[in-house]
Amino acid sequence: VIDIMCAPYILEENFTHKIVDTRALDRITLSGNIDKWEATYFKPTRYMAVAIRNNPEKLRLHYAGMHEIAYPFTSKGMVSSPEAPWLDQYWKASEKTINVCTTDGFTDNYRERRQYAQTGYYAALGTYWTFGDYDLQRRYLIQVAQEQMPNGIMPAYAPLAGGDYMVIFDSNCLWVRSLRNYLFFSGDETTVKELLPAAKSLMTLFHSYTSDNALLTNTPYAYWLDHAPLDRRGANFTLNAHYLGALEDFQEVLRFLGDDDEEEIQKRAIKLKVAMHDLFWDEDKELFSDALIGDQLSGIFSEHSNGIALAMHIADSAQLEKIASQLLKPEKHNFIYRESGMVMVTPAMYYFLHKGLCEAGYIEASFKMFRDRFDHMLAPETNGTLWEEWFIDGTGRTGKLQKKTRSDAQTESAFPPALIAEYVFGLTVLSPGMKIVGLKNIDSGIRQLEGTFPGPNGNLQVAWDRTSQHEGLLNLEIPEGMEVRLDLAGFKSPEKLVVDGGMLGKQDSKSLYYMLSSGSHTIRF
């Protein structure tokens, strides 16, 4: 009897084929003659053990080998900085994480192997900027929509494996947000128009669950958000923020498609944002509360609610400073609760916490917090991938650490390329198919950096060389079919910009932006 046992990592120097709920074990009973065997299911394997039981007198191994299953990714994007090598490190870790979790579709990790609706949103944040792949996102959007119920709800994952029609309500919001991103990165209007009826049906269902104050309250479907112990009673702030994101993103889709429903969606978004600003703020704590239960605020406060309040511009300027000061305050924590009692995000929602702090203007401090929490995942003894939770041997679902192994590659954690592109290089996609890309002079604390960013029509190359935040050189290589909208507000003296050898002058600098067409450009500032 031969046991073949596999494992993606070794924890505390103990080899085990038992990873979370996975048992990566195959048992073969030999016939006495020459036996040829091949595994019937692929497994995440870095380590393999072969155990021989009931050892006969004579045993000969003729051959041992492995087949590898992988999606044919091609790395197209890259970033580098002599003063910040960690940028390239996280870029490559994101690539490897996506690669490990993908065969024919985005799955959450290598153990569960489900194409979750929220996973597709986060996975694409990394994939668009690194691999420039649009097929996987198209596949996920279509397959989730194909499982849509008559009332408009979509399942947590697709294709369905059987009778398990699981619904994660926030996943539905992120499916809509994924639709917007797919349109803007790929430019595939045909597919988006085909999916528009499904999206409208879903948005109609969302609206039917809102109260008079526009909030989603006591929804009939469960929602996840992430593994943390949040307050899910009544109207949850983070769930409603996801819904607000779906409304705002769907409005953009309708605007570019020239759909008349845009105005109604915009009205819903405005009403919801006002309600969230007015109803969830706790004056004593100077934070947004986790939930509104009836007319009472929850006593639980989280990085989730307050990070996404900044990311979605729900907080006003006065609230912004109060929230950011508490989020950035150095505190002891166990990755579940901070010393102040604030609930911490898991990697699955760190994107919105980081984005919120960056949107509030705390870019350098936010990246420091990011590295403080993620760097241990990329230590020399690891696989160099981004984990499912902060610990491989623990979970914060109950608010307590448990000795239960987790995946060390989670596609929902592969968002760093999107953060690097937007808040280090200053890039945003402004129109479908990346025909117009915004570029802003960002104060991230990094002076020298260069990057290549793929698009449907070719690669955009950006190189910043600053002597200070307000003085330096910008080199661009813009592919055919793309324009770059340079944000003049990021420069101290826009009228002194020298574009391709000519000074911009006061006349051109009166506008907010300067458009750069395809080709090579040099800008001195």
Side-chain angles (χ1 to χ4, degrees):
V1 177
I2 308 294
D3 284 354
I4 298 179
M5 297 168 283
C6 302
Y9 54 79
I10 291 177
L11 189 63
E12 297 176 350
E13 300 183 356
N14 291 316
F15 175 89
T16 176
H17 66 278
K18 299 175 182 179
I19 302 295
V20 197
D21 299 316
T22 302
R23 301 292 179 266
L25 165 69
D26 288 293
R27 177 162 290 177
I28 312 148
T29 302
L30 301 184
S31 67
N33 299 311
I34 294 178
D35 292 300
K36 183 178 180 180
W37 174 86
E38 185 176 309
T40 57
Y41 189 76
F42 58 94
K43 304 161 191 72
T45 305
R46 181 174 182 179
Y47 300 94
M48 178 184 284
V50 178
I52 302 169
R53 305 178 185 279
N54 305 324
N55 190 14
E57 293 181 4
K58 203 171 182 182
L59 180 70
R60 178 179 297 173
L61 178 64
H62 296 272
Y63 172 81
M66 294 178 71
H67 292 285
E68 182 183 48
I69 298 174
Y71 184 80
F73 282 119
T74 302
S75 294
K76 298 176 181 177
M78 59 78 64
V79 295
S80 66
S81 171
E83 62 192 282
W86 59 269
L87 291 174
D88 176 61
Q89 187 181 18
Y90 276 99
W91 192 272
K92 289 177 179 173
S94 300
E95 285 189 331
K96 188 174 183 183
T97 302
I98 294 165
N99 214 334
V100 164
C101 298
T102 308
T103 49
D104 61 339
F106 287 134
T107 61
D108 55 334
N109 50 54
Y110 54 63
R111 64 172 180 85
E112 204 168 354
R113 302 213 59 79
R114 280 178 169 174
Q115 187 177 235
Y116 278 103
Q118 80 275 358
T119 295
Y121 175 80
Y122 295 109
L125 291 175
T127 304
Y128 288 145
W129 293 110
T130 55
F131 301 119
D133 181 280
Y134 312 112
D135 296 331
L136 288 170
Q137 187 74 340
R138 180 178 183 272
R139 177 190 197 271
Y140 134 74
L141 287 166
I142 290 173
Q143 290 190 327
V144 172
Q146 285 173 339
E147 305 281 9
Q148 187 175 34
M149 295 291 281
N151 71 344
I153 201 70
M154 294 182 185
Y157 72 93
L160 297 180
D164 174 24
Y165 198 96
M166 182 199 304
V167 174
I168 298 176
F169 203 64
D170 42 312
S171 292
N172 284 258
C173 297
L174 291 172
W175 182 92
V176 176
R177 304 204 71 180
S178 294
L179 187 67
R180 180 266 180 203
N181 285 353
Y182 175 71
L183 173 64
F184 273 60
F185 279 90
S186 73
D188 178 10
E189 291 188 20
T190 301
T191 298
V192 174
K193 286 178 179 177
E194 289 173 355
L195 292 171
L196 200 58
K200 284 190 175 186
S201 178
L202 178 58
M203 297 303 288
T204 299
L205 183 71
F206 284 158
H207 183 60
S208 73
Y209 294 143
T210 58
S211 305
D212 292 340
N213 56 17
L215 295 171
L216 291 169
T217 306
N218 295 319
T219 61
Y221 295 106
Y223 53 93
W224 174 61
L225 307 177
D226 83 356
H227 303 311
L230 300 169
D231 193 339
R232 291 174 167 82
R233 297 172 296 165
N236 178 274
F237 187 94
T238 303
L239 176 64
N240 277 280
H242 279 317
Y243 176 42
L244 176 61
L247 285 167
E248 292 183 344
D249 282 357
F250 193 53
Q251 181 198 342
E252 280 198 88
V253 171
L254 297 178
R255 176 162 56 88
F256 277 101
L257 297 182
D259 193 290
D260 294 338
D261 289 341
E262 181 205 347
E263 186 178 349
E264 175 58 30
I265 296 297
Q266 183 182 33
K267 288 178 182 177
R268 293 177 191 176
I270 293 171
K271 186 177 179 181
L272 175 59
K273 183 177 282 190
V274 170
M276 295 182 71
H277 172 274
D278 293 348
L279 298 177
F280 285 84
W281 184 252
D282 189 302
E283 289 289 352
D284 294 330
K285 287 285 188 178
E286 296 186 328
L287 291 169
F288 282 106
S289 176
D290 238 28
L292 180 66
I293 306 103
D295 58 356
Q296 297 295 313
L297 287 175
S298 167
I300 296 177
F301 301 87
S302 66
E303 292 181 343
H304 307 69
S305 296
N306 290 281
I308 206 166
L310 300 180
M312 298 303 302
H313 302 283
I314 297 165
D316 59 38
S317 57
Q319 292 169 335
L320 182 153
E321 293 183 11
K322 293 171 182 176
I323 292 170
S325 66
Q326 294 191 62
L327 290 176
L328 292 170
K329 181 182 177 182
E331 285 187 83
K332 292 181 180 179
H333 63 79
N334 62 358
F335 282 105
I336 301 168
Y337 294 106
R338 294 164 64 137
E339 193 174 20
S340 62
M342 188 184 294
V343 178
M344 298 178 68
V345 296
T346 75
M349 267 208 68
Y350 192 89
Y351 170 74
F352 287 103
L353 172 61
H354 186 100
K355 183 177 178 65
L357 287 167
C358 288
E359 286 292 307
Y362 299 88
I363 296 174
E364 193 169 357
S366 184
F367 272 110
K368 182 183 182 305
M369 180 190 285
F370 169 83
R371 294 197 61 200
D372 286 344
R373 298 193 184 183
F374 279 89
D375 271 2
H376 69 281
M377 299 185 189
L378 302 184
E381 66 272 14
T382 68
N383 277 332
T385 45
L386 300 168
W387 302 353
E388 181 178 8
E389 297 187 33
W390 298 120
F391 298 95
I392 291 181
D393 62 343
T395 173
R397 296 165 197 251
T398 62
K400 298 179 181 179
L401 291 178
Q402 301 173 12
K403 284 290 181 182
K404 183 174 182 179
T405 51
R406 310 304 300 174
S407 169
D408 73 339
Q410 178 79 8
T411 327
E412 288 158 11
S413 302
F415 54 77
L419 298 177
I420 292 168
E422 186 168 3
Y423 298 111
V424 178
F425 283 85
L427 295 170
T428 52
V429 180
L430 300 174
S431 69
M434 298 181 72
K435 290 178 181 176
I436 301 176
V437 174
L439 179 59
K440 187 175 182 179
N441 185 19
I442 291 284
D443 188 6
S444 66
I446 302 171
R447 301 299 180 214
Q448 289 183 306
L449 62 156
E450 59 181 294
T452 300
F453 305 93
N457 296 315
N459 293 336
L460 169 64
Q461 296 180 23
V462 181
W464 291 96
D465 188 358
R466 305 176 179 93
T467 53
S468 71
Q469 179 58 26
H470 301 295
E471 188 177 359
L473 186 68
L474 168 64
N475 285 307
L476 296 172
E477 190 70 41
I478 306 172
E480 196 71 36
M482 179 189 291
E483 288 183 292
V484 169
R485 193 181 80 173
L486 188 64
D487 188 341
L488 299 183
F491 299 98
K492 187 176 182 180
S493 305
E495 71 278 1
K496 295 181 181 179
L497 283 177
V498 178
V499 181
D500 299 330
M503 189 169 287
L504 198 61
K506 291 184 178 180
Q507 189 62 37
D508 285 332
S509 65
K510 285 181 180 178
S511 61
L512 297 174
Y513 307 102
Y514 187 79
M515 299 301 295
L516 296 160
S517 59
S518 59
S520 301
H521 300 279
T522 300
I523 297 98
R524 295 187 180 276
F525 57 95

